[in-house]
Amino acid sequence: AGAANARLQGSLRVTLVSADGLINLNTHRQCCSSPYCMVLCYPRRNEEVGLPDTCIWRSPTVRNSLNPNWGVSRTFDFCWNGASKASHGHKGTWPLPVSFLPEPTPEDGPEAQVDEML
């Protein structure tokens, strides 16, 4: 029994409140940056390969602001079981793919999010 049969299950609520005094990365002098945040988490493990599945949440973009107020939350449901046979003998780091997610459109509304399981 022990750790091999351990189970981690529950919910994690992430609330993105605001930021103050961000650096303007926009090269146009007429406007400011349009910040957003990306949250990566690993809510479950792919049992076939014994590695975590990546879930990416992208916050709404706040246009032309160096002091954005988001006021949005997202709940991630976690369910991890004990060690699987596929995870034994794995060495190194978990693969973390690098990708650029599409910008939500105005039709997506203020709570726009991009969820992608990789």
Side-chain angles (χ1 to χ4, degrees), residues 10 12 15 25 34 81 92:
L12 171 67
T15 301
L25 297 177
S34 295
N81 294 320

Side-chain angles (χ1 to χ4, degrees), residues 1-6:
N5 294 323

Side-chain angles (χ1 to χ4, degrees), residues 42-106:
Y42 306 93
R44 61 188 151 273
R45 184 177 60 201
N46 183 323
E47 295 297 330
E48 292 179 19
V49 297
L51 297 173
D53 286 330
T54 307
C55 182
I56 302 172
W57 172 52
R58 186 187 184 287
S59 75
T61 300
V62 177
R63 304 270 182 227
N64 300 318
S65 177
L66 298 179
N67 301 297
N69 288 302
W70 287 282
V72 294
S73 295
R74 171 75 158 85
T75 300
F76 298 95
D77 294 320
F78 282 79
C79 185
W80 284 69
N81 294 320
S84 69
K85 291 180 183 176
S87 66
H88 294 178
H90 174 72
K91 295 180 180 176
T93 59
W94 294 338
L96 189 60
V98 176
S99 63
F100 293 97
L101 300 177
E103 178 82 16
T105 63

